[in-house]
Amino acid sequence: MLIGAADSLNHAIPTVGEITRSLKALYRCGLVDIRDGRILLTSRGRTVADDGFARSGGRFSIPDSLRKSLDAANHPSVDSEPDLSFVTDETVSAAFQEYRKMLGT
C-alpha cells in the first residue's frame, strides 16, 4: 500500500532509505506506532491525516495539504527508536513486485 500511495501521489517508488527516514520521523513525532512489522496511525496521526485530506484541492494537492497539516500540528517527541528491521531491500522489492502484479504490469 505504501508503494502504491507513493507512486500515485509522487510518481516515484521510495527507496529503503527514504522509507526508513520517513517512518522514523513519523514515529518520533508520535504519528505512527510500529510493532511487529506493522505501521499503524496513532490517534494523533489520524487527526493530522484527516485534517490534510479535508483541505481543499484535488488529488494532486494531497502531498502539499498533508505537509501543511504536519507543519501546523504540535508534535511531542518520542525518545525511543522504532524497530524497522523489516524494511529491507528484499521486502521493498517484494512489495514493489506485488504492486506491479496488482497493476497487471
Side-chain angles (χ1 to χ4, degrees):
M1 190 159 124
L2 183 113
I3 300 288
D7 187 31
S8 173
L9 295 172
N10 198 34
H11 302 291
I13 304 302
T15 66
V16 170
E18 290 167 332
I19 293 169
T20 301
R21 283 188 301 278
S22 298
L23 289 176
K24 281 183 181 180
L26 292 169
Y27 180 83
R28 287 184 190 134
C29 291
L31 299 174
V32 297
D33 189 20
I34 301 171
R35 281 185 261 145
D36 302 321
R38 294 189 58 187
I39 306 158
L40 305 166
L41 280 176
T42 62
S43 59
R44 178 180 304 279
R46 171 53 54 202
T47 299
V48 170
D50 288 346
D51 179 66
F53 284 114
R55 291 176 183 263
S56 63
R59 177 179 185 86
F60 295 108
S61 68
I62 291 172
D64 289 333
S65 295
L66 287 173
R67 177 165 302 283
K68 288 175 186 173
S69 294
L70 283 168
D71 291 344
N74 180 21
H75 304 296
S77 179
V78 176
D79 292 331
S80 62
E81 287 290 321
D83 176 11
L84 297 174
S85 60
F86 65 96
V87 183
T88 65
D89 287 330
E90 292 78 20
T91 59
V92 171
S93 178
F96 177 64
Q97 293 307 318
E98 188 65 29
Y99 172 64
R100 288 188 67 197
K101 270 192 211 176
M102 182 189 74
L103 293 177
T105 60

